[in-house]
Amino acid sequence: MRAHVPERAGRPSAPSRAPSAPFTRARRRVATALGAAAGAGVALVAAAAGWYAYTPTHAVLEPAAYAALRTGTPLTSLALPDRQIQDPPSDRAPAPPEGADCRYYRASGELFVSVDQYRLCFDDEGRLVAKDVVPRAGGRRSAIHEEFTR
């Protein structure tokens, strides 16, 4: 059985199409998945940028504190930063004392620039046996360091 609905007067009829509901749902799922992936990527980049800014600013040993350090002082009595730098400039640093455990700290919290770094080396008993300034890339010490170590 068929039914016929007359057209409205004055309006041409548009050809009827069957709704493409399965394709619409699939497009929505793909768009949702792409949006979630993009959101996760943005969150990951933001977290990495935050970590990049956090780590060097919490590994700063002030020049005045470095100048006050004396060899022979036990590690436990030193007020050192919570963090050390993750990629020490061992290629620019002098050879460490034999058997010493060395730690590296930044002389400034500046980001995106090369800064002087301090190397503190401790013996097996935890005493400071050497302290060195590792110059920034380019080989020149900063004026801030020179002012405190005179």
Side-chain angles (χ1 to χ4, degrees), residues 53-140:
Y54 173 82
T55 299
T57 57
H58 285 79
V60 175
L61 179 61
E62 296 295 327
Y66 171 80
L69 296 174
R70 300 291 172 244
T71 56
T73 307
L75 173 61
T76 55
S77 66
L78 297 177
L80 296 175
D82 297 337
R83 304 192 60 80
Q84 300 175 47
I85 60 171
Q86 299 301 313
D87 52 347
S90 52
D91 58 328
R92 294 190 314 266
E98 190 170 325
D101 176 36
C102 297
R103 299 176 179 203
Y104 291 82
Y105 301 96
R106 294 173 56 93
S108 168
E110 296 177 80
L111 296 175
F112 309 115
V113 296
S114 180
V115 298
D116 292 341
Q117 297 178 5
Y118 300 132
R119 182 181 74 179
L120 305 178
C121 297
F122 299 91
D123 63 10
D124 293 338
E125 296 176 10
R127 289 185 310 248
L128 181 64
V129 293
K131 67 178 203 173
D132 301 294
V133 176
V134 181
R136 67 180 68 196
R140 295 182 55 202

Side-chain angles (χ1 to χ4, degrees), residues 62-68 118 142-150:
E62 296 295 327
Y66 171 80
Y118 300 132
S142 71
I144 293 172
H145 172 74
E146 294 295 330
E147 176 182 329
F148 283 103
T149 57
R150 286 184 192 167

Side-chain angles (χ1 to χ4, degrees), residues 19-66:
S20 57
F23 293 114
T24 302
R25 277 187 253 127
R27 276 190 227 114
R28 284 185 188 145
R29 283 194 307 261
V30 168
T32 301
L34 289 175
V42 167
L44 184 62
V45 168
W51 183 251
Y52 177 79
Y54 173 82
T55 299
T57 57
H58 285 79
V60 175
L61 179 61
E62 296 295 327
Y66 171 80

